[in-house]
């Protein structure tokens, strides 16, 4: 399964003052147990507002938040996932 996440672009200045822009897309390829894949497929089939990208992104944000990540973007995405539909 390949997943692309659209993250906000960030501008970074190097020590020499040169402006660099980070990539806005991250591709992720992962092997997941078939039972999890089937569970995700069943969930998506029952919840048409969700797709594989929103399920994986929500799961990743939940994992990061619950394991101490204090990044405001991750926290906001986690909270949005609890109360809002994708």
């Amino acid at each position: 399964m390949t997943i692309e996440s659209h993250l906000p672009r960030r501008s970074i200045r190097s020590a020499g003052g040169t402006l660099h822009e980070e990539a806005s897309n991250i591709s992720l390829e992962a092997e997941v147990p078939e039972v999890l894949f089937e569970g995700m497929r069943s969930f998506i089939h029952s919840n048409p507002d969700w797709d594989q990208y929103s399920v994986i992104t929500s799961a990743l944000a939940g994992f990061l938040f619950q394991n101490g990540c204090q990044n405001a973007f991750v926290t906001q995405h986690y909270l949005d996932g609890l109360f809002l539909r994708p």
Side-chain angles (χ1 to χ4, degrees), residues 47-61:
N47 298 276
D49 290 339
W50 287 77
D51 60 19
Q52 70 183 24
Y53 305 106
S54 56
V55 170
I56 295 297
T57 302
S58 182
L60 184 56

Side-chain angles (χ1 to χ4, degrees), residues 24-59:
S24 62
N25 295 327
I26 296 174
S27 294
L28 173 68
E29 187 172 321
E31 291 183 3
V32 296
E34 189 171 343
V35 67
L36 293 178
F37 181 78
E38 290 301 324
M40 182 176 69
R41 186 189 322 211
S42 175
F43 176 83
I44 291 168
H45 181 72
S46 300
N47 298 276
D49 290 339
W50 287 77
D51 60 19
Q52 70 183 24
Y53 305 106
S54 56
V55 170
I56 295 297
T57 302
S58 182

